[in-house]
Amino acid sequence: MADEEVNPQLEVEESCKPQCVKAWLEYQACAERVEKDESGEAHCTGQYFDFWHCIDQCAAPKLFAKLK
């Protein structure tokens, strides 16, 4: 088991989060607005996907570089 493969995705994604602070703050601000919304129609799907798009853009080159 000494050669057990480790998936680096979570570590790489975590290292990308500081680069995506703006998108995260926009998502948090939206989440606060949604909590106050009484219509039940508000959502933060766009902001959520914007945050993960930022993470993916940062992480993808690093992850593909680790492929054998």
Side-chain angles (χ1 to χ4, degrees):
M1 286 227 243
D3 293 335
E4 188 173 321
E5 295 289 323
V6 176
N7 183 350
Q9 181 179 359
L10 295 177
E11 183 179 312
V12 171
E13 287 178 347
E14 193 66 34
S15 73
C16 287
K17 286 182 179 179
Q19 296 178 36
C20 300
V21 170
K22 181 181 177 192
W24 177 250
L25 293 175
E26 289 173 3
Y27 173 71
Q28 284 184 319
C30 178
E32 288 177 16
R33 287 191 305 273
V34 168
E35 284 181 20
K36 296 173 185 172
D37 179 62
E38 295 179 11
S39 72
E41 295 182 20
H43 58 82
C44 299
T45 305
Q47 291 82 355
Y48 178 80
F49 284 121
D50 288 346
F51 171 69
W52 281 105
H53 178 75
C54 178
I55 296 292
D56 289 343
Q57 289 292 320
C58 170
K62 296 174 184 177
L63 291 171
F64 281 109
K66 294 181 182 233
L67 291 177
K68 291 183 179 181

